[in-house]
């Protein structure tokens, strides 16, 4: 089974072809064009700029992956595109392109939920069986989900304000560390003392598994007002305190969800972490402790599969195709598309799918 995957829901334009002979998959070709340079002048992703950049790049990337894999379109078993949730202008570019290719080649179209692509990505390269507990932490998402199977998700927690990557990006901006903020903040934190500035770890000890990060960002702003922002040691200490507070909050929320997961899903073996923030070392170490304390194994896709990419979309397409779940060319892109539509909206929740 060979599927082409297209990703264009945020600020990465990506395409990949994945092959599977049953278990797991092999990436035959992949390309990711990051739009960081286009968005850097604005300090964040500008939807209109993103949509135009996807349009400029996507056809080139598609030619490259087909060439590299040595395949004609007709040799594919499916053409998958992220069809939501995310920035609708970019999603429309990917979906329209995928439908056009499907139409001319007669290959089935697969409308992939971007969150499902993140959720299943670990199974491309590792033997992780259902059910598993998933912590999805990226620039746009911060959720705890039980992945019961393909298309079957139970949301245990979500953010009531910022996504965790967004909190890293905004805090890095406050600290003058540049964009994108996550990796820059982690580098600054490496030299810092997390104990110099006591920051709150939001939601710790509260029932449930929801997240909140906006108060932490405000606490950083207040602390910053009391130091010399030109003093690199103070900035490092504050970055370290922020990173520690986030890691403690994520571990607490995930620990609660793991308690519920192990009690209700005794066959479950894994805690999976995915999304761009999963690259953070302190957070990974904290999650390893949580997993061990609950008798679970922490599994994470390799970093290039954690950030937005085409291979995870192709892989989700393969998982759906195996179950016969193809989509019609009349599928309408969805700016919002929750994985668990039955989950109640978190109090004060923003537009975080
Ligand atoms: O998954 P991703 O590439 O895109 C989204 O779907 O959002 O995640 C990007 C996010 C950004 O907010 C970035 O700052 C954050 O992941 N990030 C990190 C690290 N590397 C990327 N956050 C903390 N530590 C890192 N090392
Ligand atoms: Zn993503």
């Amino acid at each position: 089974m060979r599927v082409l995957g297209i990703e264009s829901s945020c600020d990465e334009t990506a395409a990949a072809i994945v092959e599977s002979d049953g278990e797991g998959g092999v990436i035959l070709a992949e390309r990711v064009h990051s739009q960081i340079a286009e968005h850097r002048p604005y300090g964040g992703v500008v939807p209109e700029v993103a949509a135009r950049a996807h349009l400029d790049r996507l056809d080139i990337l598609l030619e490259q992956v087909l060439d590299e894999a040595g395949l004609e379109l007709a040799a594919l078993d499916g053409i998958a595109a992220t069809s939501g949730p995310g920035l609708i202008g970019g999603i429309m570019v990917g979906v329209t392109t995928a439908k056009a290719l499907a139409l001319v080649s007669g290959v089935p179209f697969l409308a992939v939920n971007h969150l499902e692509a993140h959720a299943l990505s670990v199974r491309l390269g590792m033997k992780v069986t259902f059910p598993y507990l998933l912590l999805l932490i990226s620039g746009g998402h911060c959720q705890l989900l039980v992945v019961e199977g393909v298309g079957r998700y139970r949301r245990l927690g979500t953010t009531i304000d910022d996504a965790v990557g967004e909190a890293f990006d905004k805090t890095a901006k406050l600290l003058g560390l540049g964009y994108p903020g996550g990796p820059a903040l982690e580098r600054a934190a490496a030299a810092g003392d997390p104990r110099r500035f006591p920051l709150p770890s939001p939601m710790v000890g509260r029932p449930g598994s929801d997240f909140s990060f906006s108060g932490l960002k405000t606490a950083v702003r207040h602390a910053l007002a009391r130091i010399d922002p030109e003093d690199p040691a103070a900035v490092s200490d504050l970055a370290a305190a922020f990173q520690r507070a986030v890691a403690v909050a994520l571990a607490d929320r995930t620990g609660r969800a793991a308690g519920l997961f192990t009690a209700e899903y005794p066959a479950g073996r894994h805690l999976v972490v995915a999304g761009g923030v999963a690259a953070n070392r302190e957070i990974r170490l904290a999650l390893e402790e949580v997993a061990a304390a609950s008798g679970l194994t922490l599994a994470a896709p390799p970093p290039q599969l954690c950030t937005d990419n085409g291979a995870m979309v192709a892989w989700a397409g393969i998982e759906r195709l195996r179950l016969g779940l193809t989509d019609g060319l009349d599928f309408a892109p969805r700016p919002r598309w929750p994985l668990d539509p039955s989950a109640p909206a978190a109090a004060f929740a923003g537009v975080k799918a």
Side-chain angles (χ1 to χ4, degrees):
M1 210 174 250
R2 294 191 197 112
V3 170
L4 169 67
I6 295 174
E7 164 57 39
S8 60
S9 66
C10 191
D11 59 345
E12 262 98 23
T13 316
I17 298 173
V18 175
E19 183 175 67
S20 175
D21 58 5
E23 231 177 67
V26 176
I27 300 171
L28 299 183
E30 63 177 327
R31 290 284 185 285
V32 180
H33 170 71
S34 164
Q35 301 175 0
I36 284 177
E38 280 98 325
H39 298 293
R40 182 170 284 127
Y42 310 99
V45 179
V46 182
E48 182 61 19
V49 172
R52 282 171 193 276
H54 290 304
L55 199 55
D56 279 347
R57 281 294 172 140
L58 186 56
D59 52 350
I60 303 168
L61 301 190
L62 286 169
E63 261 178 32
Q64 289 175 341
V65 293
L66 284 162
D67 262 8
E68 191 176 313
L71 294 173
E72 300 285 331
L73 280 177
L76 298 169
D77 298 287
I79 297 177
T82 288
S83 305
L87 302 175
I88 195 66
I91 295 170
M92 280 165 61
V93 171
V95 168
T96 310
T97 305
K99 285 178 178 174
L101 297 179
L103 189 64
V104 296
S105 61
V107 171
F109 166 67
L110 297 141
V112 166
N113 181 316
H114 181 82
L115 301 170
E116 176 159 63
H118 275 302
L120 300 176
S121 62
V122 69
R123 286 163 50 85
L124 193 162
M126 297 167 86
K127 200 172 155 37
V128 172
T129 51
F130 302 123
Y132 51 88
L133 179 65
L134 172 75
L135 174 66
L136 177 55
I137 39 177
S138 72
H141 331 291
C142 186
Q143 304 194 357
L144 275 158
L145 294 150
V146 179
V147 182
E148 297 178 348
V150 176
R152 286 170 39 219
Y153 302 91
R154 177 173 165 198
R155 199 181 77 194
L156 301 182
T158 187
T159 181
I160 61 172
D161 41 55
D162 290 348
V164 61
E166 196 179 357
F168 265 95
D169 292 337
K170 288 178 178 171
T171 303
K173 199 170 174 181
L174 277 176
L175 297 178
L177 295 171
Y179 171 83
L185 195 145
E186 181 170 21
R187 278 194 300 277
D193 174 3
R195 287 160 307 184
R196 176 165 160 202
F197 298 99
L199 295 178
S201 277
M203 311 289 275
V204 166
R206 294 235 203 131
S209 286
D210 283 337
F211 303 88
S212 166
F213 295 103
S214 68
L216 179 56
K217 192 182 57 197
T218 307
V220 170
R221 189 181 293 122
H222 288 317
L224 192 61
R226 297 195 304 269
I227 63 167
D228 171 8
E230 302 296 319
D231 172 8
V235 168
S236 281
D237 291 344
L238 201 44
F242 169 83
Q243 184 172 270
R244 173 68 51 87
V246 170
V248 168
L250 290 176
D252 176 81
R253 309 281 78 203
T254 308
R256 277 181 182 269
L260 185 149
F261 177 70
T262 50
E264 294 191 24
Y265 300 84
R269 292 285 169 271
H270 290 96
L271 165 63
V272 174
V273 59
V277 184
N280 186 284
R281 212 179 119 71
E282 181 162 2
I283 290 173
R284 260 197 209 223
L285 289 175
L287 294 174
E288 249 159 39
E289 281 178 25
V290 171
S294 306
L296 299 171
T297 303
L298 183 72
Q304 72 275 17
L305 268 183
C306 271
T307 49
D308 288 350
N309 65 89
M312 71 179 187
V313 179
W315 174 253
I318 287 177
E319 296 248 40
R320 295 181 66 78
L321 196 56
R322 273 192 201 138
L323 301 174
L325 300 170
T326 60
D327 296 278
L329 296 184
D330 57 349
F331 186 97
R334 300 179 184 171
R336 300 199 68 192
W337 188 0
L339 278 180
D340 178 0
S342 71
F348 314 114
V351 188
K352 293 290 181 297

